[in-house]
Amino acid sequence: MPVPTATRAAVLREHGEPLVIEELPLPGEVEPGAAIVRIGCATLCATDVHIWSGAMSWPGMLPMVLGHEMSGTVAAAGPGTLDALGRPVRAGDRIGWSESTCGHCHGCTVLRTPVACAQRGYGFTQRADAWPYSTCGLAEYSYVRPGALKLLLPDDVPDIWAAAAGCAVKTVVHAYGRAGGIRPGAAVVVQGAGALGLVATAMAAASGAGTVITVGAPAARLELARGFGADVVIGLDGTPPERLGQVLEATDGRGAELVLDLAGAPGVAAEAVDMAAWGGTFVVVGSTGPRPDPVPMGTVMGKELNVLGSLNGDVGDYHRALEFLRGFRARFDWNAMFGAPAGLGAATGALRSMSRLDEVKAVIHPWLP
Ligand SMILES: [Zn+2]
Ligand SMILES: [Zn+2]
């Protein structure tokens, strides 16, 4: 197969405006450890919606290609390219990958924590007019850098699952890792019923939680949450004290041993701290962006709560995410989270639909017309 030298891509040139379908160059040659991948599918994440709308924005970021959850088939691999488990990566292999890391910064070497890398290659830090141009999902081909740890995909993991594992599912795996796992029988509150919230609900149920409570909206997502193992679902139409009352009622008045913010909405921190049981843990996963959210410090102190941050995940979390999706495919209908696949030209509509909460996770197949 000849090395592709250009790709169609949906380029974000101006926040809030339709993406522009353009042809972008690809690196003419593939570095050792790198690969050019024919994207099989991309799934959109709330971060894509926030970047598209401009809610997340910083100087000099545009133009860029959105989509940081994707998987595909290797069109060309550089010399000696291996996956994270040491297996050769060759043209024709299906792979997924995690954000690139530099391998020599304080975060990489002293902390040995990939998510702390000072030059972490999140897709949204790649400009579409700078080498290597296309590293994201809303393109027919993307360049996977040498520093991005890759995994050969098992045959029974479809492209869509592997894409969603690349951000949403691995972020939840990382968050439970930060929390130290789930105690059998524990009460868990999941704030948020988007893709992260639904996966977190399933992971809590599968991990032996006693009571799983999912808080979110709209009603259709709470219905999905029930299918993903929620024992109790709580909508957002009531007041925070009403929601707290429902959590206490479901937990014999004690509150939840583990609360995860996967919503990032204003006020979630105060509600989480109130919903937490004495000695409980609150993991902040969904609160991205600069806007502060007040935390009742007296409650944190008085209940001796553990408050932890959790940022994305690394290739280890990605591996576990794939295994989780495979392992529980009979128990949970993962495909219920995904929208109907559409082509690059439909990506703007998909972003709009997700911003209205119509779709949980939109799926873009770049090769569809
Ligand atoms: Zn994401
Ligand atoms: Zn680094």
Side-chain angles (χ1 to χ4, degrees), residues 85-130:
L85 298 173
R87 300 171 292 190
V89 172
R90 302 191 181 96
D93 288 339
R94 285 172 64 240
I95 62 168
W97 57 97
S98 190
E99 288 77 13
S100 64
T101 52
C102 76
H104 50 72
C105 70
H106 186 269
C108 283
T109 60
V110 177
L111 302 179
R112 291 189 179 274
T113 302
V115 294
C117 175
Q119 293 171 50
R120 192 164 162 78
Y122 289 111
F124 39 80
T125 56
Q126 174 64 48
R127 283 179 63 110
D129 56 0

Side-chain angles (χ1 to χ4, degrees), residues 15-68:
H15 293 297
E17 295 295 319
L19 305 178
V20 186
I21 308 297
E22 296 178 26
E23 187 163 288
L24 299 179
L26 286 166
E29 123 189 17
V30 191
E31 301 163 280
I36 292 177
V37 169
R38 184 189 198 273
I39 299 293
C41 95
T43 50
L44 294 176
C45 163
T47 303
D48 293 310
V49 178
H50 295 151
I51 292 174
W52 169 69
S53 72
M56 247 177 103
S57 178
W58 54 88
M61 72 188 293
L62 302 183
M64 62 165 292
V65 181
L66 289 170
H68 54 275

Side-chain angles (χ1 to χ4, degrees), residues 306-361:
N306 306 293
V307 180
L308 300 165
S310 184
L311 172 66
N312 197 254
D314 62 26
V315 75
D317 302 305
Y318 182 55
H319 185 274
R320 292 179 195 283
L322 295 173
E323 292 305 313
F324 176 68
L325 295 174
R326 286 175 93 186
F328 289 91
R329 63 190 309 150
R331 177 157 170 196
F332 303 115
D333 178 15
W334 303 127
N335 292 329
M337 275 190 296
F338 300 109
L344 284 180
T348 306
L351 291 162
R352 288 207 172 98
S353 149
M354 279 180 64
S355 70
R356 290 189 306 261
L357 304 184
D358 287 349
E359 246 178 317
V360 176
K361 206 168 242 324

